[in-house]
Amino acid sequence: MVGREFPAYGIALRRARAERRWSRPRLAYELERVIRHEGKEPPERDSLIRMLRAWENGEHRPDDLNRQRLAEVLGPILDEDVKIIQPDLTAASAPPSSRELKTSEFVAWIAEHSALSFQEAYEAVVARAAWIEAQAPSVRHADAYRRSRVARQQVAEAVVAYYGDDVDGRSRFYRAHVGGASFTLSILVRPGGLGAAVELGGDQEQFQFSAQDAHLPVGPLQEAALEAALMRLASVEVSNTVLVNTPLYRLLDIDIARHRLEGVVNLADFASYALTMDLLETELTGALAAAVPQRAGDGVVSAEVAAQLPLRDRYLPGLAPALALDQRLCVGGPVALFAAARRSSRGGHHERDYVLLIQERSARVLNVTGKLAVVPKCFHQPTVEIGQEVRLSASLERELEEELLGRQDLEGLTIGSQRQADPFHEDRLSEPMRWLLDRRDTDAYRVECTGFGINMVSGNCEFPCLILVDDDEWWERYGGRVEANWEMERIRRYSSLDAAGIQALIVDPGWSNEGLFAFLEGLRRLGELGNLSRLALPTIKVQVDG
């Protein structure tokens, strides 16, 4: 039995075009030149573009003449890629590979959600990992470079172009004005979902775990969805990316208002997310990286990108489905700005202020790699006791200690971390964390959720938060212990009195959309809570109501 050549050829064609950073119109133009060189009149440009789209989507396969023309334009990579990218996954005669995969639990998930057996899925991942490793380093690094150059604003503009900006007269994409700069984020919000000021860890935060088996619609993986899942695992196999199949809280319902947050959740596993919804970010970034560079602000690229998003068409096709949380997989969690009061320096280098911490995401994390974000940033998920850890604050404070205060990772990334019966016992707290929790009911330590939004890049639920340590004793005693964990490439520090530095940070194109969302909302709340003598923040105006 031969392999499935139609989608394989489409994948190969799309990748060959992406390596040259050509749009379909550009490839159509190159084909026109070849056809004219043959002494023939080419079809209309629109007709060629439609034909290319059909080939890439696997609807049709080019005939021998057009294969020769494509090879003349793109080279022989097409024929080679068909053999490597889409091998015969059902051939029983193929010798088994000796390669050991570290993602076998995720391979099992693919086998359970596709027509492939476990062995077929395993061998498919092995083949794709070999293909990636066989690429020249210059090709791999060039692809990584192109992806890293995709700016936050490009992502937001492409998302808004795909979905439009109004689903029911209330939900809108988050827009902000800071100084002379305007921003549109990929975060879908409602006016009542901002400025919530919910104190976490107390009565204002109410999450309920639903034991009812909520329907999780994951249809059989086919074609582009299957290929993307297999390539995700192959990429993890040849990199240092951390991928662990831990449980996540899946959001089913949310109600947020001033000083009130109520949510209903049940469980999903990380594999269900990593091999479906989380692939939307990779797909979108890849499409933007492959698009022909456009003039700043002309918006032309969006339509071309929108035609290359088959996973988005499948998993998150519209705003209305995105808001139907109980009908889809919606995971996510708190994204918090950390601000700690600091005394004036003995040498007069700075006055009394707040230290603001920002992270650059490590290459080992699965998403928004290399992007700017606030810290801590985490999934809402349990470790050992599902009902006890259902509050958002449990995930946030756990991650605060892990990401900044040296706590052992509790999500299964370290040996023995899943064997602790009570990982949150007071005896296991670090000294800096114990100091904070001892002052939970005072103004010295506040943890608040400032709002809620849905990140339409991936469909994730985002809870922007502020962690405020408003007693400079804590930083005086423990500031030297604050250190980034493996999820961060580096940590940046800003002063709340550095208005110019904060303004420059806000307009940095390297932000993730959820990171900038949490930073802006955190600054707005800090301006309400913080000591005015410690603040020199820019004015932030948010527009979500028209």
Side-chain angles (χ1 to χ4, degrees):
M1 181 181 295
V2 298
R4 287 168 287 185
E5 293 183 288
F6 277 63
Y9 194 89
I11 291 164
L13 176 56
R14 183 176 296 176
R15 285 189 177 152
R17 179 168 62 81
E19 286 177 2
R20 290 155 180 80
R21 302 196 70 183
W22 286 358
S23 65
R24 287 198 189 105
R26 169 63 188 277
L27 180 53
Y29 169 76
E30 297 295 336
L31 286 175
E32 288 173 358
R33 294 178 59 187
V34 171
I35 294 171
R36 286 195 176 97
H37 186 71
E38 296 171 354
K40 301 177 181 178
E41 186 64 26
E44 293 291 331
R45 177 76 59 85
D46 288 345
S47 177
L48 275 175
I49 292 172
R50 287 194 298 270
M51 190 158 44
L52 286 170
R53 182 181 292 113
W55 293 341
E56 290 187 358
N57 293 338
E59 299 168 14
H60 305 289
R61 195 167 189 268
D63 58 24
D64 290 342
L65 177 58
N66 280 310
R67 283 172 63 89
Q68 292 174 6
R69 291 168 174 167
L70 287 167
E72 184 171 343
V73 172
L74 297 172
I77 185 173
L78 292 170
D79 291 331
E80 296 171 5
D81 279 357
V82 171
K83 298 174 184 176
I84 296 174
I85 294 179
Q86 192 74 4
D88 181 2
L89 302 179
T90 62
S93 60
S97 170
S98 60
R99 181 170 192 148
E100 288 282 348
L101 297 183
K102 59 186 178 183
T103 57
S104 58
E105 190 172 356
F106 291 82
V107 172
W109 188 93
I110 290 178
E112 292 166 3
H113 293 85
S114 72
L116 302 181
S117 68
F118 179 88
Q119 183 175 350
E120 289 170 341
Y122 195 103
E123 290 297 330
V125 173
V126 169
R128 286 152 179 79
W131 176 80
I132 294 173
E133 290 178 326
Q135 288 184 320
S138 61
V139 174
R140 296 198 306 270
H141 290 297
D143 180 66
Y145 172 76
R146 286 192 295 268
R147 288 175 177 272
S148 71
R149 302 296 292 176
V150 174
R152 183 209 59 77
Q153 187 70 16
Q154 288 178 273
V155 173
E157 288 175 355
V159 166
V160 172
Y162 184 94
Y163 292 108
D165 196 24
D166 191 350
V167 61
D168 57 7
R170 293 180 295 166
S171 300
R172 302 288 176 87
F173 284 101
Y174 182 98
R175 287 186 170 88
H177 305 275
V178 185
S182 298
F183 306 91
T184 298
L185 306 188
S186 65
I187 310 298
L188 193 66
V189 294
R190 293 187 174 185
L194 299 178
V198 176
E199 291 188 24
L200 299 182
D203 293 339
Q204 295 183 12
E205 175 194 11
Q206 298 293 330
F207 274 86
Q208 174 188 349
F209 178 76
S210 173
Q212 182 177 358
D213 184 20
H215 175 59
L216 182 58
V218 180
L221 298 183
Q222 297 175 339
E223 308 300 356
L226 176 58
E227 177 65 23
L230 294 170
M231 285 299 295
R232 160 58 59 86
L233 298 190
S235 298
V236 170
E237 289 294 335
V238 300
S239 68
N240 292 323
T241 301
V242 174
L243 190 62
V244 180
N245 194 21
T246 53
L248 300 174
Y249 287 121
R250 173 194 172 198
L251 187 63
L252 301 176
D253 193 18
I254 181 74
D255 186 13
I256 186 168
R258 186 76 174 176
H259 304 312
R260 178 173 58 83
L261 172 60
E262 298 176 357
V264 179
V265 300
N266 69 355
L267 285 184
D269 56 20
F270 194 78
S272 297
Y273 167 71
L275 300 177
T276 58
M277 301 297 291
D278 190 55
L279 296 173
L280 300 184
E281 178 195 336
T282 302
E283 178 187 55
L284 179 59
T285 303
L288 286 167
V292 173
Q294 305 290 327
R295 296 184 301 276
D298 68 3
V300 175
V301 72
S302 299
E304 173 68 17
V305 168
Q308 302 180 52
L309 306 176
L311 299 184
R312 188 166 297 274
D313 296 341
R314 172 189 172 104
Y315 293 126
L316 202 65
L319 294 180
L323 293 172
L325 302 181
D326 61 340
Q327 299 299 311
R328 69 174 183 89
L329 177 61
C330 181
V331 300
V335 193
L337 172 62
F338 180 87
R342 180 172 61 171
R343 294 172 182 167
S344 58
S345 64
R346 294 183 179 88
H349 300 298
H350 63 80
E351 301 297 325
R352 296 168 64 246
D353 63 356
Y354 295 102
V355 175
L356 310 178
L357 299 183
I358 303 297
Q359 64 165 309
E360 294 179 21
R361 301 279 284 169
S362 162
R364 297 184 66 196
V365 297
L366 194 63
N367 44 41
V368 291
T369 300
K371 298 300 183 181
L372 295 178
V374 292
V375 55
K377 168 182 167 59
C378 65
F379 282 101
H380 185 205
Q381 62 183 142
T383 55
V384 293
E385 190 170 355
I386 296 170
Q388 186 68 22
E389 301 174 50
V390 72
R391 286 186 172 185
L392 203 65
S393 51
S395 295
L396 183 55
E397 291 182 328
R398 178 191 69 227
E399 203 71 13
L400 167 63
E401 196 173 19
E402 291 177 6
E403 291 191 8
L404 292 175
L405 303 178
R407 173 77 182 251
Q408 181 189 47
D409 204 312
L410 296 178
E411 290 96 334
L413 306 186
T414 55
I415 297 175
S417 62
Q418 294 180 325
R419 300 175 183 172
Q420 300 169 8
D422 192 355
F424 299 103
H425 194 278
E426 185 175 334
D427 290 345
R428 291 187 175 273
L429 293 175
S430 63
E431 184 181 343
M433 194 68 203
R434 185 178 292 110
W435 188 100
L436 294 175
L437 295 182
D438 285 345
R439 292 158 178 80
R440 182 193 290 277
D441 297 326
T442 73
D443 290 339
Y445 175 59
R446 303 174 67 100
V447 182
E448 292 190 357
C449 176
T450 61
F452 173 78
I454 295 176
N455 189 352
M456 293 303 295
V457 171
S458 57
N460 285 11
C461 53
E462 309 289 358
F463 295 88
C465 297
L466 172 66
I467 299 175
L468 177 60
V469 183
D470 212 355
D471 186 334
D472 49 26
E473 177 191 347
W474 187 86
W475 189 264
E476 183 76 11
R477 294 179 62 177
Y478 304 117
R481 300 192 190 183
V482 176
E483 184 175 351
N485 75 344
W486 65 271
E487 297 176 59
M488 291 171 261
E489 188 65 29
R490 60 175 293 206
I491 195 166
R492 297 187 186 183
R493 192 180 73 196
Y494 291 85
S495 168
S496 60
L497 291 173
D498 182 10
I502 292 174
Q503 177 75 32
L505 174 62
I506 290 173
V507 300
D508 192 312
W511 278 101
S512 63
N513 277 276
E514 68 271 23
L516 185 56
F517 177 48
F519 186 58
L520 293 176
E521 289 302 297
L523 288 179
R524 293 176 70 204
R525 183 56 176 158
L526 180 61
E528 297 173 351
L529 290 175
N531 187 314
L532 293 180
S533 66
R534 297 178 184 265
L535 299 173
L537 303 177
T539 300
I540 302 170
K541 297 181 180 180
V542 174
Q543 176 187 355
V544 295
D545 56 354

